[in-house]
Amino acid sequence: MKIIQHVYNSFLQVATLIFEKLEKGIDYPRFQLELQDVLNELGRNICKEVLEAADDYVRQHRNERAGWVVVRRDE
């Protein structure tokens, strides 16, 4: 549930930013570029949250990873 709330808050921030940009009278090409950057960041954050949640789940539920071998690399 925490991940859904976090993603929802991120969507709200994007919407707020869009409205702020439109109210300031930004030109369309610049608006497109800035919107692309914001949406790319949102996508990265969503992927990060989902992967971290999946990692936590697998770590906590050992029976879900029967037969897995964890290999750690020292770098």
Side-chain angles (χ1 to χ4, degrees):
M1 190 64 161
K2 178 184 169 187
I3 190 170
I4 294 171
Q5 183 177 9
H6 182 74
V7 170
Y8 178 74
N9 289 337
S10 295
F11 275 110
L12 287 179
Q13 289 174 350
V14 169
T16 302
L17 183 63
I18 290 170
F19 289 125
E20 287 175 1
K21 297 289 182 184
L22 291 174
E23 287 175 354
K24 290 181 181 177
I26 191 171
D27 61 2
Y28 191 73
R30 185 170 166 197
F31 173 72
Q32 271 186 308
L33 291 174
E34 290 186 16
L35 180 60
Q36 181 180 4
D37 291 341
V38 169
L39 291 177
N40 285 341
E41 183 178 347
L42 175 62
R44 284 190 299 272
N45 289 340
I46 290 171
C47 288
K48 179 182 174 193
E49 291 289 328
V50 169
L51 290 172
E52 287 177 356
D55 188 48
D56 288 341
Y57 178 83
V58 170
R59 191 178 312 119
Q60 293 172 2
H61 297 88
R62 291 181 178 265
N63 58 336
E64 295 288 329
R65 54 186 169 128
W68 288 20
V69 176
V70 177
V71 178
R72 291 185 171 84
R73 290 184 235 157
D74 294 330
E75 295 187 20

